[in-house]
Structures are given as structure tokens and as C-alpha cells.
Amino acid sequence: MDTKTTRISPEEIARQGEFCEKIQERLAAQPRAYLAFVDTYGCQQNEADSERLRGYLKSMGYGFTQDENQADVILINTCAIRGHAEDRVFGNIGALVHSKRRHPGQIICVCGCMAQEQQVADRIRESYRHVDLVFGPHALWKFPELFYRVFSRRGRVFENTDEPGSIAEGIPVVRQGNVKAWVSIMYGCNNFCTYCIVPYVRGRERSRLPEDVLAECRGLVEEGYKDITLLGQNVNSYGKDLGLDMDFADLLAQINDIPGDFLIRFMTSHPKDASQKLFETMARCEKIAPVFHLPVQAGNDRVLKAMNRVYDRATYLDKVKRLREQIPDVVITSDIIVGFPGETTPEFEDTLSLIEEVEYDALFTFIYSPREGTPGAKMPDPMPMAEKKANFQRLVDAQNAISAKKHAAYMGKTLRCLIDGVCEEEGFALTARTPGNRLVRVKEGDESLIGTFQNVTVTGANTWSLWGELA
Ligand code: SAH
Ligand code: SF4
Ligand code: F3S
């Protein structure tokens, strides 16, 4: 495989900055403030991308609003992972025809993973004529240039050329909040799980240079961020494309060495690349949070093989065992797909027995959704939806019982938690996160504690949540 990653030059990014300036000059000459609304779907990777798109919009002179009727620019950052996600986005894009009618100068942009799909771009071109700009994740770095074409000529622009992908440094960023931050360390995916669209819309795996990641993390710690989550579709294979003598565990250790009181998290890990070295590094480095999202997808070997997951049940369980040997109280979470094409109910029951065996702290559960262009979409899928839904419910019920038991074990414990926000629920003042990232609602406490670590005693627990008091 070609391991040469295209790196967008600093001159190119500076050129994008010039487009921002041109727009900024035009807006500054207007008698009112101009506003943008950025709507994000999908995973943390998309959230992180939206922070960069906001960075560009801010450099253009836009302020921000959550109200699409007030917005001069609407940017919808979409997700293609399941059909349901796409339907929602099409519904929302369709509804924007009304806001554009009220506000003809409005510029409507659709970006993200759906926009990379040719059939989606075609559908928008034909049937959603109020959309002005469509661009996929590969083109994010040149958003100012694309936007300027719409802004100055008012023609429609489509940019979703398929490519392995590139890396751009130096894009401005407007982060959401000042306690937690996302840091993308790599982009794309090489795994081609047979159900998954991500490799088709996000391109090949490519890593940022360690010095760029470290500089961003150092900056965040200096700005006072307390919780840094490193992002990638498969962070465990970080660095493999760089040809450096450095892997993901080494990167974690170097971030851990940055002075300051903060936590490091990461997601997502592919079980095939989750190494003993990584587990040992986590155990040794005090800033790495004791939490591991390790998606298993299914508990049956035939299904895992058909999914092209490359590990089997025994290997997965062995990794969980070794992880727990290193970090006994580690919080482990997972993703499960129910109803992969050809999965029988007895095979699904292997997933049930696996989750009983592992006892995850939490699960993200999905019913299989066929994605056009993936191998899974061509596989025979005889199981009726009613049976898939019944299996799905069995899984949810089993996990609820496990979660209730796990939560009950927190009762009476005092943990060093990060206070991360105001709790909107009645009877509670703040939200806090345990070291393992479990949410605890805190009864009383001042907002000035947000962004600090505090000892919280857990005084209540049910299936879904924990609550407690400042110790
Ligand atoms: N890179 C990560 C996550 C990718 S998407 C990983 O490898 O785990 C997040 C989750 O969505 C996946 O883990 C999977 O459980 C689910 N998912 C992906 N494609 C899906 C599909 N076609 N139908 C249903 N769920 C899907
Ligand atoms: Fe999709 Fe598999 Fe890549 Fe995750 S590892 S993004 S599930 S192809
Ligand atoms: Fe969705 Fe793209 Fe993330 S498809 S899950 S937004 S990588």
C-alpha cells in the first residue's frame, strides 16, 4: 500500500486564509453582524471537523447562532453510518427550503461523510436546489475557497472527488467549551469491515505527525483544558504510515509527560491492534483515564469473519482479560451490531453470552443498516426485521441488568471527578465525570467548580445513572 500521505502545504492553508480575509472585508463593510449555524451529526470526528469549520467561519467574520432562521450561513455536517442517520439529514435539508424562502441570501452548505457519497451529491443536485455548496471530508481544508466561489458568484458548488485523503495543519479552530477538547490524531480507515461506509467516505488511514499532535495538546493544557480525547477511527494503528519508530502507546506516553493536571482519553480502538504494550502504558501513565472503548460488534466467530473484523471471540476475550490484569477497575465499553446479514438467532446468542462474560460498563447497540457500496449490502439477509428487533431488545435488556449491577457497585465510593458542566435536571446542580468517564449528577455545588477535579461521593445509582455529593 502507498504509505505516502499528502500533506497540505502551509502556503495552501495561508491561501485559504486569504479567501477568509476577502470575505471578512466584505462583511465588515455591512451595517450588521453576519451569523452562521453549524449543525453536526455523527461521531466525535465530525464534532472535531465542525470545530475547524467554525474556525474558518470565524476568520471570515461570521458570528454564531443556533437559530437557522437568523443564520446567513447554514452548514450541515453529516454522517453516513446508518440509513436512519441519512434519512434524518435529508429531512432537515428538505425543511431548509422554507428558511431560504424567507431569507433568500442565505447560503446553505452540506458537508461531512454523506456529502462524500456520489449518490447523495447527485440527489442534492437534482432535488435540493436550495443547497448551494456540497463538499466531502477530503475538501474540508479548502472550505474557504469553495465557500468564496458561492459567496462571490452565487453559483452552486459540488466538491466530493474520491481520493485517499490528506492531512492539513494550521486550520483555525473554535472549540465547544473550555474543559474538554477533541484532538484528531489520524484520519481515515483501512479496515473495510464489510458493513461499514467509513473507509469509502473518509479515505485511507493517515497519521498526523507526533510533533503536531504534541504541540496541539500542549497548547490545550496551557489554555486550561482538563480532558483531552484523541480521535481516530482506529487510534491503535497510529503512526504505522509514518515510518517513524513510534506507535500509539509511545504517543500516549509523550502526551502524559506534558506538565499539568489533565486527563487523556482516546477513541476508537480496533481489537486487532490493541496491544499489551498499550495496556501497560495505560497502567503506567497516571494521566491516561482508565477507560477503554473496545468495539466487539459480535460474539460469534462466523459472523466476525463475515464482518471482516480479523479477530475471533477467544482473542478478543483474551485482550479484555489482559487489559483488566493491567488496570483492574478499567471501564470497558463496546459497540454491537445486531442482525448483520446471515446472522442467525443462535449466533446472536453468542453475542449475548459474550456481553455477560465481559460485563461491559456500557454498550452502544445498533441494528444493522445496509450501506450502498459496502460488501455487506450485497450479502443475503433473510432474517425478518421483527426477529432482529426482538434480538436487539434481548441485548438491551441483558445490558441494562449488567449496567444496574455495575452502577450499584459505585454506591458509597468517593472518586476524583472532573466537574464538566451545569446539570439541567431538577434537584441537581452540576455534572461530573468519573475517571472512567461515567456521568455523575451532583446535588449541590457552585458553577465556579466547572473545569476542576473534585472528590464526589456516589450516593445513588440506577440502571442508567449515578448521582452524588461533593465530598
Ligand atoms: N471506527 C470505529 C467506529 C465506527 S462507527 C470502530 O471500528 O469501532 C461506530 C459504530 O457504528 C461501529 O462500531 C458499529 O457498531 C456501528 N456501525 C457501523 N456501520 C454500521 C452499519 N452499517 N449498520 C449498523 N451499525 C453500524
Ligand atoms: Fe468502520 Fe471497521 Fe473502520 Fe471502524 S474499523 S471505521 S467499523 S471499517
Ligand atoms: Fe458518521 Fe462519518 Fe463519523 S459516517 S460515524 S460522521 S466518520
Side-chain angles (χ1 to χ4, degrees):
M1 183 173 298
D2 182 11
T3 55
K4 270 224 123 15
T5 295
T6 310
R7 291 183 192 274
I8 307 301
S9 69
E11 294 73 32
E12 254 311 334
I13 298 300
R15 204 170 69 83
Q16 298 304 317
E18 288 165 19
F19 286 107
C20 293
E21 271 168 39
K22 283 193 216 174
I23 295 166
Q24 204 250 332
E25 279 163 22
R26 296 262 296 273
L27 294 185
Q30 304 294 322
R32 67 174 180 93
Y34 276 68
L35 298 174
F37 171 46
V38 180
D39 197 8
T40 310
Y41 296 78
C43 64
Q44 289 81 3
Q45 190 70 68
N46 252 19
E47 296 286 348
D49 285 352
S50 283
E51 293 184 339
R52 297 235 145 33
L53 292 162
R54 279 197 195 91
Y56 270 146
L57 285 163
K58 188 179 171 204
S59 316
M60 294 173 192
Y62 288 96
F64 296 99
T65 173
Q66 295 286 21
D67 177 357
E68 59 200 32
N69 292 310
Q70 294 213 341
D72 300 284
V73 177
I74 296 179
L75 201 140
I76 307 184
N77 193 3
T78 62
C79 170
I81 202 79
R82 283 171 289 274
H84 176 69
E86 293 205 352
D87 296 342
R88 261 177 67 209
V89 167
F90 273 120
N92 288 359
I93 300 175
L96 289 178
V97 89
H98 305 294
S99 82
K100 183 118 173 190
R101 223 170 261 150
R102 283 190 295 269
H103 192 340
Q106 200 167 47
I107 299 177
I108 300 180
C109 316
V110 176
C111 63
C113 294
M114 273 173 77
Q116 192 65 41
E117 295 178 275
Q118 193 54 48
Q119 71 270 20
V120 170
D122 291 344
R123 185 168 159 192
I124 294 176
R125 196 192 300 271
E126 301 301 321
S127 312
Y128 298 82
R129 303 200 57 85
H130 55 293
V131 174
D132 301 286
L133 170 59
V134 175
F135 63 101
H138 295 317
L140 186 148
W141 65 270
K142 56 181 160 186
F143 169 57
E145 180 175 0
L146 301 173
F147 185 82
Y148 185 75
R149 267 153 62 191
V150 177
F151 182 86
S152 55
R153 289 211 320 259
R154 310 290 312 161
R156 300 177 87 196
V157 173
F158 288 75
E159 176 62 68
N160 69 337
T161 317
D162 190 23
E163 53 165 288
S166 59
I167 288 197
E169 296 291 345
I171 297 176
V173 46
V174 172
R175 293 183 198 270
Q176 297 283 81
N178 48 17
V179 179
K180 301 181 185 191
W182 311 116
V183 174
S184 297
I185 62 167
M186 56 195 300
Y187 305 93
C189 182
N190 288 350
N191 292 316
F192 290 95
C193 303
T194 52
Y195 49 82
C196 185
I197 191 85
V198 171
Y200 303 90
V201 292
R202 289 256 170 194
R204 293 294 65 71
E205 239 168 57
R206 50 210 190 272
S207 306
R208 290 176 69 196
L209 296 173
E211 55 266 36
D212 292 329
V213 174
L214 284 162
E216 185 171 349
C217 292
R218 242 179 255 118
L220 288 166
V221 173
E222 277 162 21
E223 284 172 55
Y225 285 88
K226 293 287 183 270
D227 185 313
I228 296 176
T229 303
L230 308 178
L231 297 179
Q233 292 303 337
N234 176 18
V235 289
N236 299 165
S237 62
Y238 172 81
K240 284 188 181 164
D241 56 321
L242 291 175
L244 299 173
D245 186 20
M246 171 161 195
D247 63 13
F248 180 57
D250 298 324
L251 179 73
L252 280 175
Q254 291 188 20
I255 299 173
N256 187 71
D257 285 342
I258 298 173
D261 191 9
F262 65 97
L263 284 174
I264 309 161
R265 308 181 193 282
F266 54 87
M267 65 188 317
T268 296
S269 297
H270 192 299
K272 76 176 163 62
D273 301 307
S275 65
Q276 182 68 20
K277 177 178 171 189
L278 173 60
F279 304 155
E280 288 170 12
T281 304
M282 287 178 73
R284 177 166 54 82
C285 295
E286 72 290 355
K287 291 171 196 164
I288 306 177
V291 50
F292 214 107
H293 183 58
L294 195 61
V296 67
Q297 312 298 354
N300 174 274
D301 284 344
R302 191 201 66 78
V303 176
L304 285 171
K305 195 150 193 238
M307 288 176 162
N308 190 32
R309 289 294 285 182
V310 206
Y311 53 84
D312 60 12
R313 177 188 177 104
T315 313
Y316 182 90
L317 289 172
D318 179 57
K319 296 217 178 189
V320 169
K321 182 170 142 264
R322 287 193 283 124
L323 172 60
R324 285 198 168 128
E325 277 164 11
Q326 291 297 324
I327 313 164
D329 57 352
V330 65
V331 165
I332 306 181
T333 59
S334 195
D335 295 347
I336 304 272
I337 296 176
V338 175
F340 181 77
E343 183 183 61
T344 63
T345 290
E347 285 171 339
F348 160 75
E349 284 164 352
D350 288 341
T351 300
L352 272 187
S353 75
L354 182 134
I355 71 145
E356 302 279 2
E357 198 169 332
V358 174
E359 298 202 313
Y360 292 104
D361 291 83
L363 275 187
F364 301 88
T365 49
F366 310 102
I367 291 185
Y368 171 75
S369 166
R371 307 313 296 133
E372 199 177 318
T374 64
K378 295 192 205 78
M379 294 179 187
D381 191 2
M383 188 186 278
M385 187 48 92
E387 191 174 345
K388 292 189 181 187
K389 284 191 173 160
N391 287 343
F392 182 82
Q393 196 52 50
R394 286 174 74 189
L395 178 68
V396 170
D397 291 343
Q399 181 57 38
N400 281 347
I402 297 167
S403 298
K405 185 173 135 191
K406 288 255 163 183
H407 279 170
Y410 281 92
M411 283 290 288
K413 282 195 183 156
T414 299
L415 299 161
R416 187 170 185 262
C417 293
L418 177 62
I419 308 293
D420 66 348
V422 170
C423 187
E424 305 293 342
E425 268 168 80
E426 215 182 300
F428 295 101
L430 301 169
T431 58
R433 293 277 168 176
T434 68
N437 211 25
R438 309 306 296 152
L439 175 73
V440 186
R441 295 169 177 75
V442 180
K443 285 193 183 134
E444 280 168 32
D446 197 80
E447 275 183 40
S448 63
L449 295 177
I450 293 170
T452 66
F453 291 97
Q454 300 292 333
N455 286 324
V456 175
T457 304
V458 178
T459 57
N462 62 19
T463 306
W464 297 279
S465 58
L466 301 170
W467 56 96
E469 288 162 19
L470 294 174

